[in-house]
């Protein structure tokens, strides 16, 4: 089993179990970015209570500064011709993308509630693996947000991923 931990400055953690059987390209890309330290210091830049928390593409430095990912990958979801039965249930991690099906790179989101309408349209590739992790997702999902530039739903107080790393079993 491949596991990843997102650790925050306050000591809270989100533990994730990855599911390569549903999205092998996505899992390999995510692991590569984790192992390279790409996510360390990035923030959750978009949070919507009852929906999801999104991160993996911005540093917070007196505002949001984009961090470009090294590549884009094939979208592993039914609308893009790939079978992926992982349901967007609470705690499921999935790749964010533009309207272009193969535009996912480093940004991801974690569902705070059931989002069945995203099934077949986004590459779900893992899930939180414990209650404390799910509580951390829910806590982040209800932080106070604002609009910043043309970005909406940005946390007023930055939610920074101190370190993201593989968990050895």
């Amino acid at each position: 089993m491949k596991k990843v931990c997102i650790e925050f400055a306050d000591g809270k953690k989100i533990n994730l179990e990855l599911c390569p059987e549903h999205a092998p390209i996505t899992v390999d890309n995510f692991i590569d970015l984790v192992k390279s330290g790409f996510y360390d210091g990035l923030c959750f830049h978009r949070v919507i209570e009852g929906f999801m928390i999104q991160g993996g593409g911005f540093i917070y430095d007196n505002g949001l500064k984009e961090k470009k990912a090294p590549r884009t990958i094939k979208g592993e979801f039914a609308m893009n011709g790939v079978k992926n039965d992982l349901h967007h249930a609470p705690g499921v991690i999935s790749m964010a993308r533009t309207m272009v099906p193969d535009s996912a790179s480093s940004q991801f989101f974690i569902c705070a509630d059931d989002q069945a309408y995203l099934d077949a349209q986004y590459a779900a590739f893992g899930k939180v693996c414990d209650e404390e992790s799910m509580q951390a997702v829910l806590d982040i999902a209800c932080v106070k947000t604002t609009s910043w530039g043309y970005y909406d739903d940005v946390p007023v107080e930055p939610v920074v991923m101190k370190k993201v790393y593989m968990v050895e079993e």
Side-chain angles (χ1 to χ4, degrees):
M1 190 66 52
K2 297 176 184 204
K3 292 188 176 184
V4 169
C5 180
I6 301 171
E7 186 177 321
F8 299 91
D10 65 2
K12 287 186 181 178
K13 296 177 180 179
I14 297 175
N15 293 301
L16 301 163
E17 179 181 298
L18 306 181
C19 302
E21 67 276 14
H22 294 286
I25 296 167
T26 304
V27 168
D28 286 348
N29 180 65
F30 188 72
I31 289 172
D32 182 56
L33 292 169
V34 167
K35 287 182 175 179
S36 74
F38 181 87
Y39 292 114
D40 298 352
L42 298 186
C43 64
F44 280 93
H45 65 277
R46 182 173 175 234
V47 301
I48 302 173
E49 189 172 4
F51 178 36
M52 59 86 218
I53 63 174
Q54 181 176 335
F58 290 89
I59 297 166
Y60 190 89
D61 181 19
N62 293 318
L64 295 176
K65 308 269 192 277
E66 187 174 8
K67 182 175 181 181
K68 290 280 189 189
R71 69 193 146 274
T72 57
I73 58 172
K74 179 172 180 61
E76 295 177 293
F77 46 88
M79 193 179 84
N80 204 28
V82 178
K83 184 177 188 226
N84 181 338
D85 294 330
L86 187 55
H87 172 64
H88 284 85
V92 164
I93 183 172
S94 189
M95 290 303 288
R97 63 175 179 81
T98 67
M99 297 298 288
V100 178
D102 296 332
S103 62
S105 58
S106 63
Q107 290 190 42
F108 61 88
F109 61 92
I110 303 173
C111 298
D113 202 347
D114 193 275
Q115 305 300 330
Y117 71 96
L118 298 176
D119 293 350
Q121 299 181 62
Y122 289 85
F125 66 97
K127 56 192 171 192
V128 300
C129 28
D130 56 63
E131 288 181 34
E132 286 180 40
S133 295
M134 190 64 217
Q135 189 58 56
V137 170
L138 297 174
D139 290 348
I140 293 168
C142 62
V143 299
K144 186 174 180 183
T145 61
T146 189
S147 293
W148 188 85
Y150 68 73
Y151 302 107
D152 293 324
D153 309 306
V154 178
V156 171
E157 293 293 322
V159 179
V160 178
M161 295 179 268
K162 178 181 166 187
K163 184 150 184 66
V164 183
Y165 55 92
M166 298 300 298
V167 176
E168 300 299 323
E169 292 204 342

